[in-house]
Amino acid sequence: MFLKRSDKNNSLEQHPKPNKTKCNHPNAKADKYERVPLWSKILLIMFAVSAVLYITMCISKEFSNFFNTSVAFVFRFIFAKITNIIPLSVAEIFIVSLPVTLILLIRYFAKKRCKTPKQTVVSLVCILSIASVFLSSFVLTFAAGYRGNTLDENLDIKREKLSANDLYITAEYLVERIDSLHTKIQFADDGFSVMPYSLDVMNKKLLDAYASFSHKHTFISNFNSRLKPVIFSEVMSYAHITGVYTFFTGESNLNVDFPDYTIPYTAAHELAHQRGIAREDEANMIAFLVSLESDDDYIKYCAYVNMFEYIISALSKADRTLSRQIWKKLPKKVYQEQLAYDRFFEKYQKSVTSQVSGAVNDAYLKGQGTEGEKSYGMVVDLTVAYLKKQQLIPQ
């Protein structure tokens, strides 16, 4: 039995207190919807603060460095830990459900909260405040990475204009390393190498490698996180996307439709973004260096092969004769894997989706002060400079 006040004192029933008359004014609900709600005000204040922070980042490299390794790290850590609970990609679920969510949201505001001009204005403010969350989360988690020190500064290396001979020597070094590893790798009948463990095991191996790398380099933070395979990976393939870090969920998402040898390197790249390395060439370089910290032969093999692809592409543009010489030195099984990749990628090569996603990504990257999609290939400069400093190739 629930204890009621009337059961304790029946006199209250005999002499009830006069009830306060409820307001039945026909415009009561209209008045409520003609005021910007508190939650919307909070989101707009957060956006205003984020705008000030972003301007400060653009002005001060020192502030960006501080923010990226402190405040932004905390937000990236929290977002990653929250979404780690869910094995599926929260970002993918959000994107797939976004069209229906938008339709329902617009329908709700149009039907319930746009009956007067003032309500319409307030509704628009509410919608804009919701949209501002994405911009605020970008500033609070990721933007500082584009404005702070460059990776060549952090590694104390110097980018230089490269000659065809620089590229040839670097490619030759990579071929030697690939040759020393490829006999330890299993290859399938389709020509592709086979990752000898699950994604979860690969995840653990990469986290161990990041722990080792971050111990030597304080500019990159480290924490445990879960890589998220994307269910609609083939759609990403048509968009020429092998992985993506979603700053608003803190997730490193993987296209698992691509061949095995691309996956560990892509995973290391996205984990670099998750740890505050924003620029694409730098995330590529960190993926390469971290992979070499691993004690796993397959992860190292994948790092060398993926970097070889960047170097040989640059060498082919600089000197086709030298590039042909390098191709002849590549182990037969690895060469066949490159041919297998060409066959795999053929159906995705000229998709309209890739043109649209490429244009959007290029505009976004240029908006952050980088060279756009060209910046991915700029990892070549970093690689040559790093190998020269380590005296792994001649100066």
Side-chain angles (χ1 to χ4, degrees), residues 312-329:
I312 197 66
S313 176
L315 180 58
S316 297
K317 295 174 184 177
D319 192 317
R320 295 192 67 83
T321 301
L322 290 178
S323 71
R324 283 194 290 268
Q325 292 179 22
I326 289 294
W327 279 114
K328 291 177 182 178
K329 295 183 179 184

Side-chain angles (χ1 to χ4, degrees), residues 4 150 223 267 358:
K4 295 182 181 180
T150 58
F223 55 89

